[in-house]
Amino acid sequence: MRVRVTFKVNNKGAAIPFHHQFLIAQILKGLVVASGADQYNNYPYYSFSGLKGLTKVSREGLHYNSNRVTIVLTSPNASFVDFMINKIFEQDEIAIGSLVISPESVDQELSVDFGEMTKFICISPLVLLPASFNSNEGKQFIEPGTDEFSDLLFESTVKRMEEYGIDVDSIDNLQKFQVVPDLAYINKIRQSQKKFARVYSMFDRDVKYEVRGYTFPFMLYAPAEVQEFLFTCGLGHYSHKGFGMLDIANSDPTKRAVGYAVSSLISA
């Protein structure tokens, strides 16, 4: 299930870091801890986007100049989505860095019928390798388009699906999993001396880790059940930290959205 939460901006022009996933992760974690809902205390089967809105770039980061911003939250567990939406709407204001926002409304994205292949875009970076404290292992660069790149994503996907409780042995053609990056896009980025792979900070129990994340369009060849799981749970490691969130390329998600009703939702 994917929902789009719209927030009113209370201090237009305020800035937050370019990569602010860790700030949103801390807020979501704080809402869970404060609620006392132990079943979700270390729950990893969800993902979320960064703040989407009209921005201006400066040395301070991203200045949000729109009246409203959105965050996409997604999980294969509808009960978890309901829980998080209610906790978000219990807050009069939420501070992300110096930006102060108030929850206003929620829309649900309609389900997608997946075939044997789908072109995805990364709306948060893909992390191939888990981080280790005081180690560079998680920052290792692996060339997109290689078998190693695709195999690492396949292995992490199968492990997460099994841990979630999905019988992966019942999925036909599970091994037919291949991530094929848009090499034209990657070459264009390289020629312009920009980056599609960066090192990002991540925090776990107040300990800072660094991981390498990749952001580019790609074709995913995989069974429909696998694509559905990744679309609602994220691809790669640390989706619950704000990494690996996907969207469908050349598609406007606002056109496949409807109002989202939760019985206990607090009205904005």
Side-chain angles (χ1 to χ4, degrees):
M1 178 180 289
R2 293 169 68 96
V3 296
R4 182 178 304 274
V5 188
T6 299
F7 298 85
K8 179 183 177 182
V9 176
N10 297 332
N11 58 338
K12 191 174 176 180
I16 62 175
F18 295 105
H19 179 71
H20 50 270
Q21 307 296 87
F22 69 96
L23 294 174
I24 301 176
Q26 289 172 342
I27 289 168
L28 297 180
K29 178 68 172 181
L31 293 176
V32 171
V33 172
S35 73
D38 292 340
Q39 70 271 32
Y40 296 133
N41 195 33
N42 293 300
Y43 191 75
Y45 304 109
Y46 67 98
S47 188
F48 54 89
S49 70
L51 278 176
K52 305 300 181 183
L54 181 63
T55 59
K56 180 180 179 181
V57 177
S58 79
R59 291 182 179 180
E60 298 176 32
L62 295 173
H63 294 263
Y64 282 80
N65 295 321
S66 50
N67 294 321
R68 288 169 178 80
V69 294
T70 61
I71 295 176
V72 180
L73 174 69
T74 177
S75 172
N77 185 339
S79 295
F80 174 77
V81 174
D82 277 353
F83 169 81
M84 288 307 309
I85 292 300
N86 277 287
K87 292 303 149 188
I88 289 171
F89 273 81
E90 287 176 0
Q91 313 305 309
D92 292 328
E93 293 185 334
I94 296 174
I96 301 177
S98 62
L99 185 70
V100 181
I101 57 179
S102 297
E104 189 174 71
S105 63
V106 190
D107 290 313
Q108 178 181 350
E109 292 186 15
L110 299 174
S111 59
V112 176
D113 293 327
F114 291 101
E116 296 180 352
M117 63 180 183
T118 305
K119 187 170 185 178
F120 287 107
I121 57 174
C122 305
I123 56 177
S124 62
L126 301 179
V127 175
L128 269 66
L129 298 168
S132 299
F133 180 67
N134 201 28
S135 169
N136 290 323
E137 182 178 353
K139 296 187 288 184
Q140 178 184 351
F141 175 81
I142 297 174
E143 186 68 40
T146 63
D147 288 341
E148 183 181 11
F149 192 98
S150 187
D151 289 348
L152 285 169
L153 290 173
F154 173 71
E155 291 165 6
S156 64
T157 296
V158 171
K159 181 179 179 181
R160 292 171 68 225
M161 292 181 73
E162 288 177 331
E163 291 173 346
Y164 184 71
I166 296 173
D167 180 10
V168 296
D169 292 333
S170 68
I171 299 176
D172 293 335
N173 300 316
L174 178 65
Q175 299 292 330
K176 292 185 177 180
F177 180 103
Q178 188 70 33
V179 173
V180 181
D182 186 335
L183 294 180
Y185 173 89
I186 290 177
N187 290 335
K188 184 177 179 180
I189 291 294
R190 281 175 162 156
Q191 289 169 6
S192 63
Q193 297 184 338
K194 296 180 180 180
K195 295 182 179 181
F196 62 86
R198 299 176 183 271
V199 173
Y200 296 89
S201 296
M202 183 196 72
F203 294 84
D204 187 29
R205 298 181 182 180
D206 296 325
V207 178
K208 180 180 178 181
Y209 295 86
E210 290 186 325
V211 294
R212 183 170 296 278
Y214 303 77
T215 306
F216 53 77
F218 63 90
M219 291 292 294
L220 175 62
Y221 296 82
E225 302 97 315
V226 175
Q227 296 192 48
E228 174 67 27
F229 179 80
L230 296 177
F231 189 57
T232 55
C233 200
L235 174 62
H237 293 278
Y238 307 121
S239 65
H240 62 299
K241 300 288 186 181
F243 293 94
M245 191 173 199
L246 307 177
D247 207 347
I248 298 172
N250 305 315
S251 174
D252 183 354
T254 62
K255 293 182 179 179
R256 59 174 192 266
V258 296
Y260 184 56
V262 183
S263 58
S264 55
L265 184 64
I266 298 174
S267 299

PDB file of all heavy atoms in Angstrom, residues 224-260:
ATOM      1  N   ALA A 224       5.779 -10.913 -11.136  1.00  0.00           N
ATOM      2  CA  ALA A 224       4.916  -9.819 -10.680  1.00  0.00           C
ATOM      3  C   ALA A 224       4.875  -9.727  -9.159  1.00  0.00           C
ATOM      4  O   ALA A 224       4.840  -8.620  -8.602  1.00  0.00           O
ATOM      5  CB  ALA A 224       3.503 -10.015 -11.246  1.00  0.00           C
ATOM      6  N   GLU A 225       4.877 -10.880  -8.459  1.00  0.00           N
ATOM      7  CA  GLU A 225       4.825 -10.858  -6.990  1.00  0.00           C
ATOM      8  C   GLU A 225       6.043 -10.155  -6.393  1.00  0.00           C
ATOM      9  O   GLU A 225       5.944  -9.453  -5.391  1.00  0.00           O
ATOM     10  CB  GLU A 225       4.747 -12.284  -6.429  1.00  0.00           C
ATOM     11  CG  GLU A 225       3.552 -13.092  -6.912  1.00  0.00           C
ATOM     12  CD  GLU A 225       3.900 -13.986  -8.084  1.00  0.00           C
ATOM     13  OE1 GLU A 225       4.586 -13.529  -9.023  1.00  0.00           O
ATOM     14  OE2 GLU A 225       3.488 -15.160  -8.052  1.00  0.00           O
ATOM     15  N   VAL A 226       7.192 -10.351  -7.046  1.00  0.00           N
ATOM     16  CA  VAL A 226       8.421  -9.723  -6.566  1.00  0.00           C
ATOM     17  C   VAL A 226       8.370  -8.222  -6.821  1.00  0.00           C
ATOM     18  O   VAL A 226       8.714  -7.420  -5.949  1.00  0.00           O
ATOM     19  CB  VAL A 226       9.649 -10.360  -7.257  1.00  0.00           C
ATOM     20  CG1 VAL A 226      10.928  -9.635  -6.845  1.00  0.00           C
ATOM     21  CG2 VAL A 226       9.736 -11.842  -6.915  1.00  0.00           C
ATOM     22  N   GLN A 227       7.922  -7.840  -7.996  1.00  0.00           N
ATOM     23  CA  GLN A 227       7.827  -6.412  -8.313  1.00  0.00           C
ATOM     24  C   GLN A 227       6.858  -5.701  -7.371  1.00  0.00           C
ATOM     25  O   GLN A 227       7.123  -4.580  -6.919  1.00  0.00           O
ATOM     26  CB  GLN A 227       7.386  -6.227  -9.763  1.00  0.00           C
ATOM     27  CG  GLN A 227       8.401  -6.756 -10.773  1.00  0.00           C
ATOM     28  CD  GLN A 227       8.081  -6.313 -12.185  1.00  0.00           C
ATOM     29  OE1 GLN A 227       7.829  -5.140 -12.419  1.00  0.00           O
ATOM     30  NE2 GLN A 227       8.084  -7.247 -13.117  1.00  0.00           N
ATOM     31  N   GLU A 228       5.748  -6.333  -7.071  1.00  0.00           N
ATOM     32  CA  GLU A 228       4.769  -5.739  -6.153  1.00  0.00           C
ATOM     33  C   GLU A 228       5.378  -5.528  -4.771  1.00  0.00           C
ATOM     34  O   GLU A 228       5.189  -4.483  -4.142  1.00  0.00           O
ATOM     35  CB  GLU A 228       3.536  -6.646  -6.052  1.00  0.00           C
ATOM     36  CG  GLU A 228       2.504  -6.208  -5.024  1.00  0.00           C
ATOM     37  CD  GLU A 228       1.828  -4.901  -5.393  1.00  0.00           C
ATOM     38  OE1 GLU A 228       1.740  -4.585  -6.599  1.00  0.00           O
ATOM     39  OE2 GLU A 228       1.374  -4.199  -4.466  1.00  0.00           O
ATOM     40  N   PHE A 229       6.124  -6.515  -4.289  1.00  0.00           N
ATOM     41  CA  PHE A 229       6.757  -6.394  -2.972  1.00  0.00           C
ATOM     42  C   PHE A 229       7.751  -5.235  -2.951  1.00  0.00           C
ATOM     43  O   PHE A 229       7.767  -4.425  -2.018  1.00  0.00           O
ATOM     44  CB  PHE A 229       7.473  -7.699  -2.611  1.00  0.00           C
ATOM     45  CG  PHE A 229       8.179  -7.656  -1.285  1.00  0.00           C
ATOM     46  CD1 PHE A 229       7.482  -7.828  -0.105  1.00  0.00           C
ATOM     47  CD2 PHE A 229       9.551  -7.434  -1.217  1.00  0.00           C
ATOM     48  CE1 PHE A 229       8.131  -7.783   1.127  1.00  0.00           C
ATOM     49  CE2 PHE A 229      10.206  -7.385  -0.002  1.00  0.00           C
ATOM     50  CZ  PHE A 229       9.492  -7.565   1.176  1.00  0.00           C
ATOM     51  N   LEU A 230       8.564  -5.133  -3.983  1.00  0.00           N
ATOM     52  CA  LEU A 230       9.568  -4.072  -4.029  1.00  0.00           C
ATOM     53  C   LEU A 230       8.934  -2.694  -4.186  1.00  0.00           C
ATOM     54  O   LEU A 230       9.439  -1.704  -3.652  1.00  0.00           O
ATOM     55  CB  LEU A 230      10.549  -4.336  -5.175  1.00  0.00           C
ATOM     56  CG  LEU A 230      11.387  -5.608  -5.031  1.00  0.00           C
ATOM     57  CD1 LEU A 230      12.264  -5.802  -6.264  1.00  0.00           C
ATOM     58  CD2 LEU A 230      12.234  -5.568  -3.776  1.00  0.00           C
ATOM     59  N   PHE A 231       7.819  -2.629  -4.905  1.00  0.00           N
ATOM     60  CA  PHE A 231       7.131  -1.361  -5.109  1.00  0.00           C
ATOM     61  C   PHE A 231       6.525  -0.846  -3.804  1.00  0.00           C
ATOM     62  O   PHE A 231       6.416   0.358  -3.587  1.00  0.00           O
ATOM     63  CB  PHE A 231       6.044  -1.540  -6.165  1.00  0.00           C
ATOM     64  CG  PHE A 231       5.402  -0.257  -6.623  1.00  0.00           C
ATOM     65  CD1 PHE A 231       6.166   0.778  -7.151  1.00  0.00           C
ATOM     66  CD2 PHE A 231       4.026  -0.092  -6.545  1.00  0.00           C
ATOM     67  CE1 PHE A 231       5.570   1.959  -7.585  1.00  0.00           C
ATOM     68  CE2 PHE A 231       3.429   1.083  -6.985  1.00  0.00           C
ATOM     69  CZ  PHE A 231       4.197   2.112  -7.495  1.00  0.00           C
ATOM     70  N   THR A 232       6.146  -1.777  -2.925  1.00  0.00           N
ATOM     71  CA  THR A 232       5.519  -1.380  -1.664  1.00  0.00           C
ATOM     72  C   THR A 232       6.462  -1.473  -0.462  1.00  0.00           C
ATOM     73  O   THR A 232       6.097  -1.032   0.622  1.00  0.00           O
ATOM     74  CB  THR A 232       4.281  -2.255  -1.365  1.00  0.00           C
ATOM     75  OG1 THR A 232       4.654  -3.629  -1.375  1.00  0.00           O
ATOM     76  CG2 THR A 232       3.200  -2.016  -2.388  1.00  0.00           C
ATOM     77  N   CYS A 233       7.658  -2.005  -0.674  1.00  0.00           N
ATOM     78  CA  CYS A 233       8.557  -2.188   0.468  1.00  0.00           C
ATOM     79  C   CYS A 233       9.951  -1.631   0.223  1.00  0.00           C
ATOM     80  O   CYS A 233      10.758  -1.562   1.148  1.00  0.00           O
ATOM     81  CB  CYS A 233       8.650  -3.672   0.812  1.00  0.00           C
ATOM     82  SG  CYS A 233       9.224  -4.014   2.486  1.00  0.00           S
ATOM     83  N   GLY A 234      10.247  -1.232  -1.011  1.00  0.00           N
ATOM     84  CA  GLY A 234      11.570  -0.710  -1.318  1.00  0.00           C
ATOM     85  C   GLY A 234      12.521  -1.799  -1.759  1.00  0.00           C
ATOM     86  O   GLY A 234      12.318  -2.983  -1.499  1.00  0.00           O
ATOM     87  N   LEU A 235      13.582  -1.382  -2.444  1.00  0.00           N
ATOM     88  CA  LEU A 235      14.572  -2.298  -3.007  1.00  0.00           C
ATOM     89  C   LEU A 235      15.921  -2.076  -2.337  1.00  0.00           C
ATOM     90  O   LEU A 235      16.343  -0.936  -2.140  1.00  0.00           O
ATOM     91  CB  LEU A 235      14.694  -2.054  -4.515  1.00  0.00           C
ATOM     92  CG  LEU A 235      15.773  -2.806  -5.289  1.00  0.00           C
ATOM     93  CD1 LEU A 235      15.550  -4.313  -5.209  1.00  0.00           C
ATOM     94  CD2 LEU A 235      15.794  -2.348  -6.752  1.00  0.00           C
ATOM     95  N   GLY A 236      16.602  -3.172  -2.004  1.00  0.00           N
ATOM     96  CA  GLY A 236      17.920  -3.063  -1.377  1.00  0.00           C
ATOM     97  C   GLY A 236      17.821  -2.988   0.137  1.00  0.00           C
ATOM     98  O   GLY A 236      16.800  -3.311   0.746  1.00  0.00           O
ATOM     99  N   HIS A 237      18.915  -2.535   0.750  1.00  0.00           N
ATOM    100  CA  HIS A 237      18.987  -2.457   2.208  1.00  0.00           C
ATOM    101  C   HIS A 237      18.437  -1.124   2.726  1.00  0.00           C
ATOM    102  O   HIS A 237      18.457  -0.113   2.028  1.00  0.00           O
ATOM    103  CB  HIS A 237      20.442  -2.596   2.666  1.00  0.00           C
ATOM    104  CG  HIS A 237      21.019  -3.955   2.412  1.00  0.00           C
ATOM    105  ND1 HIS A 237      20.809  -5.032   3.246  1.00  0.00           N
ATOM    106  CD2 HIS A 237      21.796  -4.414   1.399  1.00  0.00           C
ATOM    107  CE1 HIS A 237      21.443  -6.094   2.778  1.00  0.00           C
ATOM    108  NE2 HIS A 237      22.043  -5.743   1.644  1.00  0.00           N
ATOM    109  N   TYR A 238      17.959  -1.164   3.965  1.00  0.00           N
ATOM    110  CA  TYR A 238      17.593   0.032   4.751  1.00  0.00           C
ATOM    111  C   TYR A 238      16.428   0.823   4.165  1.00  0.00           C
ATOM    112  O   TYR A 238      16.422   2.047   4.207  1.00  0.00           O
ATOM    113  CB  TYR A 238      18.810   0.951   4.916  1.00  0.00           C
ATOM    114  CG  TYR A 238      20.021   0.243   5.479  1.00  0.00           C
ATOM    115  CD1 TYR A 238      21.215   0.207   4.756  1.00  0.00           C
ATOM    116  CD2 TYR A 238      19.967  -0.409   6.703  1.00  0.00           C
ATOM    117  CE1 TYR A 238      22.333  -0.464   5.261  1.00  0.00           C
ATOM    118  CE2 TYR A 238      21.077  -1.089   7.206  1.00  0.00           C
ATOM    119  CZ  TYR A 238      22.255  -1.107   6.485  1.00  0.00           C
ATOM    120  OH  TYR A 238      23.356  -1.764   6.981  1.00  0.00           O
ATOM    121  N   SER A 239      15.432   0.118   3.653  1.00  0.00           N
ATOM    122  CA  SER A 239      14.250   0.836   3.162  1.00  0.00           C
ATOM    123  C   SER A 239      13.585   1.613   4.295  1.00  0.00           C
ATOM    124  O   SER A 239      13.074   2.718   4.080  1.00  0.00           O
ATOM    125  CB  SER A 239      13.255  -0.144   2.525  1.00  0.00           C
ATOM    126  OG  SER A 239      12.736  -1.050   3.489  1.00  0.00           O
ATOM    127  N   HIS A 240      13.591   1.051   5.522  1.00  0.00           N
ATOM    128  CA  HIS A 240      12.964   1.742   6.656  1.00  0.00           C
ATOM    129  C   HIS A 240      13.793   2.935   7.133  1.00  0.00           C
ATOM    130  O   HIS A 240      13.338   3.691   7.998  1.00  0.00           O
ATOM    131  CB  HIS A 240      12.736   0.766   7.812  1.00  0.00           C
ATOM    132  CG  HIS A 240      13.994   0.181   8.367  1.00  0.00           C
ATOM    133  ND1 HIS A 240      14.866  -0.586   7.626  1.00  0.00           N
ATOM    134  CD2 HIS A 240      14.534   0.255   9.617  1.00  0.00           C
ATOM    135  CE1 HIS A 240      15.879  -0.955   8.381  1.00  0.00           C
ATOM    136  NE2 HIS A 240      15.703  -0.460   9.582  1.00  0.00           N
ATOM    137  N   LYS A 241      14.971   3.110   6.559  1.00  0.00           N
ATOM    138  CA  LYS A 241      15.793   4.291   6.839  1.00  0.00           C
ATOM    139  C   LYS A 241      15.657   5.337   5.721  1.00  0.00           C
ATOM    140  O   LYS A 241      16.357   6.335   5.721  1.00  0.00           O
ATOM    141  CB  LYS A 241      17.262   3.893   6.976  1.00  0.00           C
ATOM    142  CG  LYS A 241      17.552   2.896   8.093  1.00  0.00           C
ATOM    143  CD  LYS A 241      17.424   3.530   9.467  1.00  0.00           C
ATOM    144  CE  LYS A 241      17.871   2.562  10.554  1.00  0.00           C
ATOM    145  NZ  LYS A 241      17.716   3.165  11.908  1.00  0.00           N
ATOM    146  N   GLY A 242      14.777   5.041   4.755  1.00  0.00           N
ATOM    147  CA  GLY A 242      14.542   6.012   3.685  1.00  0.00           C
ATOM    148  C   GLY A 242      15.311   5.754   2.415  1.00  0.00           C
ATOM    149  O   GLY A 242      15.471   6.665   1.596  1.00  0.00           O
ATOM    150  N   PHE A 243      15.769   4.522   2.219  1.00  0.00           N
ATOM    151  CA  PHE A 243      16.500   4.172   1.002  1.00  0.00           C
ATOM    152  C   PHE A 243      15.680   3.197   0.155  1.00  0.00           C
ATOM    153  O   PHE A 243      14.824   2.474   0.663  1.00  0.00           O
ATOM    154  CB  PHE A 243      17.846   3.533   1.351  1.00  0.00           C
ATOM    155  CG  PHE A 243      18.817   4.466   2.017  1.00  0.00           C
ATOM    156  CD1 PHE A 243      18.900   4.532   3.399  1.00  0.00           C
ATOM    157  CD2 PHE A 243      19.631   5.291   1.266  1.00  0.00           C
ATOM    158  CE1 PHE A 243      19.788   5.405   4.024  1.00  0.00           C
ATOM    159  CE2 PHE A 243      20.521   6.165   1.874  1.00  0.00           C
ATOM    160  CZ  PHE A 243      20.599   6.223   3.256  1.00  0.00           C
ATOM    161  N   GLY A 244      15.991   3.193  -1.147  1.00  0.00           N
ATOM    162  CA  GLY A 244      15.443   2.161  -2.029  1.00  0.00           C
ATOM    163  C   GLY A 244      13.994   2.315  -2.420  1.00  0.00           C
ATOM    164  O   GLY A 244      13.370   1.354  -2.883  1.00  0.00           O
ATOM    165  N   MET A 245      13.414   3.507  -2.286  1.00  0.00           N
ATOM    166  CA  MET A 245      12.023   3.672  -2.693  1.00  0.00           C
ATOM    167  C   MET A 245      11.942   3.851  -4.207  1.00  0.00           C
ATOM    168  O   MET A 245      12.723   4.599  -4.796  1.00  0.00           O
ATOM    169  CB  MET A 245      11.379   4.862  -1.997  1.00  0.00           C
ATOM    170  CG  MET A 245       9.880   4.903  -2.203  1.00  0.00           C
ATOM    171  SD  MET A 245       9.075   6.171  -1.231  1.00  0.00           S
ATOM    172  CE  MET A 245       7.393   5.548  -1.261  1.00  0.00           C
ATOM    173  N   LEU A 246      10.975   3.176  -4.818  1.00  0.00           N
ATOM    174  CA  LEU A 246      10.827   3.166  -6.267  1.00  0.00           C
ATOM    175  C   LEU A 246       9.527   3.818  -6.701  1.00  0.00           C
ATOM    176  O   LEU A 246       8.560   3.867  -5.940  1.00  0.00           O
ATOM    177  CB  LEU A 246      10.848   1.719  -6.788  1.00  0.00           C
ATOM    178  CG  LEU A 246      12.024   0.833  -6.388  1.00  0.00           C
ATOM    179  CD1 LEU A 246      11.824  -0.574  -6.953  1.00  0.00           C
ATOM    180  CD2 LEU A 246      13.343   1.427  -6.860  1.00  0.00           C
ATOM    181  N   ASP A 247       9.511   4.292  -7.941  1.00  0.00           N
ATOM    182  CA  ASP A 247       8.274   4.685  -8.587  1.00  0.00           C
ATOM    183  C   ASP A 247       8.362   4.252 -10.041  1.00  0.00           C
ATOM    184  O   ASP A 247       9.451   3.940 -10.548  1.00  0.00           O
ATOM    185  CB  ASP A 247       8.031   6.189  -8.484  1.00  0.00           C
ATOM    186  CG  ASP A 247       6.544   6.532  -8.539  1.00  0.00           C
ATOM    187  OD1 ASP A 247       5.751   5.638  -8.901  1.00  0.00           O
ATOM    188  OD2 ASP A 247       6.179   7.673  -8.221  1.00  0.00           O
ATOM    189  N   ILE A 248       7.230   4.235 -10.691  1.00  0.00           N
ATOM    190  CA  ILE A 248       7.183   3.790 -12.075  1.00  0.00           C
ATOM    191  C   ILE A 248       7.585   4.942 -12.989  1.00  0.00           C
ATOM    192  O   ILE A 248       7.100   6.072 -12.835  1.00  0.00           O
ATOM    193  CB  ILE A 248       5.778   3.290 -12.434  1.00  0.00           C
ATOM    194  CG1 ILE A 248       5.435   2.083 -11.546  1.00  0.00           C
ATOM    195  CG2 ILE A 248       5.682   2.902 -13.903  1.00  0.00           C
ATOM    196  CD1 ILE A 248       4.014   1.622 -11.682  1.00  0.00           C
ATOM    197  N   ALA A 249       8.486   4.664 -13.914  1.00  0.00           N
ATOM    198  CA  ALA A 249       8.956   5.695 -14.839  1.00  0.00           C
ATOM    199  C   ALA A 249       7.839   6.147 -15.769  1.00  0.00           C
ATOM    200  O   ALA A 249       6.931   5.374 -16.106  1.00  0.00           O
ATOM    201  CB  ALA A 249      10.138   5.157 -15.647  1.00  0.00           C
ATOM    202  N   ASN A 250       7.915   7.413 -16.169  1.00  0.00           N
ATOM    203  CA  ASN A 250       6.967   7.979 -17.141  1.00  0.00           C
ATOM    204  C   ASN A 250       5.514   7.823 -16.699  1.00  0.00           C
ATOM    205  O   ASN A 250       4.623   7.532 -17.501  1.00  0.00           O
ATOM    206  CB  ASN A 250       7.157   7.327 -18.517  1.00  0.00           C
ATOM    207  CG  ASN A 250       8.590   7.436 -19.008  1.00  0.00           C
ATOM    208  OD1 ASN A 250       9.208   8.492 -18.919  1.00  0.00           O
ATOM    209  ND2 ASN A 250       9.133   6.335 -19.511  1.00  0.00           N
ATOM    210  N   SER A 251       5.294   7.998 -15.392  1.00  0.00           N
ATOM    211  CA  SER A 251       3.949   7.871 -14.845  1.00  0.00           C
ATOM    212  C   SER A 251       3.737   8.956 -13.798  1.00  0.00           C
ATOM    213  O   SER A 251       4.633   9.226 -12.985  1.00  0.00           O
ATOM    214  CB  SER A 251       3.765   6.484 -14.212  1.00  0.00           C
ATOM    215  OG  SER A 251       2.530   6.380 -13.560  1.00  0.00           O
ATOM    216  N   ASP A 252       2.576   9.587 -13.815  1.00  0.00           N
ATOM    217  CA  ASP A 252       2.236  10.610 -12.836  1.00  0.00           C
ATOM    218  C   ASP A 252       1.470   9.958 -11.687  1.00  0.00           C
ATOM    219  O   ASP A 252       0.298   9.585 -11.856  1.00  0.00           O
ATOM    220  CB  ASP A 252       1.387  11.703 -13.491  1.00  0.00           C
ATOM    221  CG  ASP A 252       1.065  12.841 -12.524  1.00  0.00           C
ATOM    222  OD1 ASP A 252       1.409  12.723 -11.336  1.00  0.00           O
ATOM    223  OD2 ASP A 252       0.456  13.838 -12.975  1.00  0.00           O
ATOM    224  N   PRO A 253       2.101   9.782 -10.519  1.00  0.00           N
ATOM    225  CA  PRO A 253       1.421   9.084  -9.417  1.00  0.00           C
ATOM    226  C   PRO A 253       0.186   9.804  -8.919  1.00  0.00           C
ATOM    227  O   PRO A 253      -0.719   9.176  -8.348  1.00  0.00           O
ATOM    228  CB  PRO A 253       2.507   9.012  -8.339  1.00  0.00           C
ATOM    229  CG  PRO A 253       3.461  10.102  -8.672  1.00  0.00           C
ATOM    230  CD  PRO A 253       3.448  10.217 -10.149  1.00  0.00           C
ATOM    231  N   THR A 254       0.090  11.126  -9.123  1.00  0.00           N
ATOM    232  CA  THR A 254      -1.089  11.852  -8.652  1.00  0.00           C
ATOM    233  C   THR A 254      -2.337  11.467  -9.442  1.00  0.00           C
ATOM    234  O   THR A 254      -3.464  11.647  -8.964  1.00  0.00           O
ATOM    235  CB  THR A 254      -0.869  13.369  -8.750  1.00  0.00           C
ATOM    236  OG1 THR A 254      -0.669  13.725 -10.124  1.00  0.00           O
ATOM    237  CG2 THR A 254       0.357  13.793  -7.941  1.00  0.00           C
ATOM    238  N   LYS A 255      -2.126  10.932 -10.649  1.00  0.00           N
ATOM    239  CA  LYS A 255      -3.265  10.530 -11.472  1.00  0.00           C
ATOM    240  C   LYS A 255      -3.780   9.137 -11.116  1.00  0.00           C
ATOM    241  O   LYS A 255      -4.808   8.711 -11.650  1.00  0.00           O
ATOM    242  CB  LYS A 255      -2.886  10.594 -12.959  1.00  0.00           C
ATOM    243  CG  LYS A 255      -2.631  12.015 -13.456  1.00  0.00           C
ATOM    244  CD  LYS A 255      -2.314  12.043 -14.942  1.00  0.00           C
ATOM    245  CE  LYS A 255      -2.096  13.475 -15.428  1.00  0.00           C
ATOM    246  NZ  LYS A 255      -1.765  13.536 -16.872  1.00  0.00           N
ATOM    247  N   ARG A 256      -3.063   8.436 -10.257  1.00  0.00           N
ATOM    248  CA  ARG A 256      -3.538   7.134  -9.816  1.00  0.00           C
ATOM    249  C   ARG A 256      -3.765   7.143  -8.295  1.00  0.00           C
ATOM    250  O   ARG A 256      -3.530   6.155  -7.607  1.00  0.00           O
ATOM    251  CB  ARG A 256      -2.553   6.029 -10.222  1.00  0.00           C
ATOM    252  CG  ARG A 256      -1.142   6.159  -9.689  1.00  0.00           C
ATOM    253  CD  ARG A 256      -0.299   4.912 -10.034  1.00  0.00           C
ATOM    254  NE  ARG A 256       0.941   4.893  -9.296  1.00  0.00           N
ATOM    255  CZ  ARG A 256       2.093   5.358  -9.747  1.00  0.00           C
ATOM    256  NH1 ARG A 256       2.148   5.882 -10.974  1.00  0.00           N
ATOM    257  NH2 ARG A 256       3.166   5.304  -8.999  1.00  0.00           N
ATOM    258  N   ALA A 257      -4.246   8.299  -7.800  1.00  0.00           N
ATOM    259  CA  ALA A 257      -4.460   8.462  -6.368  1.00  0.00           C
ATOM    260  C   ALA A 257      -5.920   8.741  -6.067  1.00  0.00           C
ATOM    261  O   ALA A 257      -6.620   9.400  -6.839  1.00  0.00           O
ATOM    262  CB  ALA A 257      -3.590   9.590  -5.828  1.00  0.00           C
ATOM    263  N   VAL A 258      -6.385   8.216  -4.936  1.00  0.00           N
ATOM    264  CA  VAL A 258      -7.745   8.461  -4.450  1.00  0.00           C
ATOM    265  C   VAL A 258      -7.657   8.831  -2.977  1.00  0.00           C
ATOM    266  O   VAL A 258      -6.642   8.606  -2.325  1.00  0.00           O
ATOM    267  CB  VAL A 258      -8.638   7.212  -4.631  1.00  0.00           C
ATOM    268  CG1 VAL A 258      -8.811   6.877  -6.108  1.00  0.00           C
ATOM    269  CG2 VAL A 258      -8.052   6.012  -3.885  1.00  0.00           C
ATOM    270  N   GLY A 259      -8.727   9.394  -2.449  1.00  0.00           N
ATOM    271  CA  GLY A 259      -8.743   9.746  -1.032  1.00  0.00           C
ATOM    272  C   GLY A 259      -8.559   8.523  -0.161  1.00  0.00           C
ATOM    273  O   GLY A 259      -9.052   7.428  -0.485  1.00  0.00           O
ATOM    274  N   TYR A 260      -7.857   8.683   0.925  1.00  0.00           N
ATOM    275  CA  TYR A 260      -7.550   7.555   1.820  1.00  0.00           C
ATOM    276  C   TYR A 260      -8.332   7.733   3.108  1.00  0.00           C
ATOM    277  O   TYR A 260      -8.172   8.740   3.812  1.00  0.00           O
ATOM    278  CB  TYR A 260      -6.054   7.515   2.098  1.00  0.00           C
ATOM    279  CG  TYR A 260      -5.605   6.336   2.933  1.00  0.00           C
ATOM    280  CD1 TYR A 260      -5.885   5.034   2.548  1.00  0.00           C
ATOM    281  CD2 TYR A 260      -4.874   6.538   4.107  1.00  0.00           C
ATOM    282  CE1 TYR A 260      -5.451   3.964   3.293  1.00  0.00           C
ATOM    283  CE2 TYR A 260      -4.434   5.461   4.861  1.00  0.00           C
ATOM    284  CZ  TYR A 260      -4.727   4.176   4.457  1.00  0.00           C
ATOM    285  OH  TYR A 260      -4.301   3.115   5.201  1.00  0.00           O
TER     286      TYR A 260
END
